[in-house]
Amino acid sequence: MDEGSKFWIIPIVCFIVAAVIILFAVEYRVNTVFPNAEIEREEIENMTCDEILLKNSGHYWSTENKNIGNAKAIGCTETPKGQSTGLNPYVEFCNPGGFAPVKKIENSTHLFNHDTCIWDVK
């Protein structure tokens, strides 16, 4: 063997090692990840709200399944029902920066500010 033929041993070995690693990675995705993701997708469709909320805090086999799970979990969460706090109705149901009535709400000493939801002094 001359000096030039020894040089090609290292690149050839590196190429073979890289090809084996890529082969195992592709084999894992094709034979493990894709079938499990499909099974999981079918299970997500049949899950109850309690099951989907529990599953949503864990791992999914694919990002598509995660998006489906997140969308279903958002649909399962209940919005809290508003309960009266006993405050003035103008303050209790005020939405800062949102809809404000055309009518000004005031008395002889104060004016209600709909932007901050606070009674201000006139």
Side-chain angles (χ1 to χ4, degrees):
M1 286 174 111
D2 62 340
E3 201 61 39
S5 63
K6 289 181 184 177
F7 171 76
W8 289 103
I9 292 175
I10 294 173
I12 291 172
V13 169
C14 290
F15 177 74
I16 292 171
V17 169
V20 169
I21 291 173
I22 291 171
L23 179 70
F24 280 120
V26 169
E27 186 271 335
Y28 176 75
R29 286 194 58 86
V30 169
N31 292 329
T32 305
V33 174
F34 292 149
N36 286 334
E38 184 62 34
I39 292 168
E40 183 180 54
R41 191 174 304 116
E42 292 171 4
E43 289 175 352
I44 289 172
E45 297 297 326
N46 300 325
M47 284 184 177
T48 63
C49 281
D50 293 334
E51 293 171 338
I52 196 70
L53 291 175
L54 182 64
K55 176 70 176 168
N56 199 30
S57 62
H59 170 75
Y60 287 97
W61 280 100
S62 70
T63 56
E64 182 181 342
N65 288 356
K66 183 174 179 144
N67 293 338
I68 293 170
N70 287 340
K72 193 165 182 181
I74 289 171
C76 286
T77 56
E78 295 181 18
T79 56
K81 295 179 181 177
Q83 295 179 352
S84 177
T85 58
L87 297 174
N88 187 307
Y90 299 119
V91 176
E92 186 172 349
F93 301 110
C94 183
N95 184 11
F99 171 75
V102 178
K103 181 180 176 187
K104 288 187 177 184
I105 302 167
E106 61 184 291
N107 61 18
S108 61
T109 58
H110 291 81
L111 173 70
F112 187 72
N113 184 344
H114 288 282
D115 294 325
T116 60
C117 295
I118 298 175
W119 283 96
D120 291 329
V121 177
K122 273 188 174 179

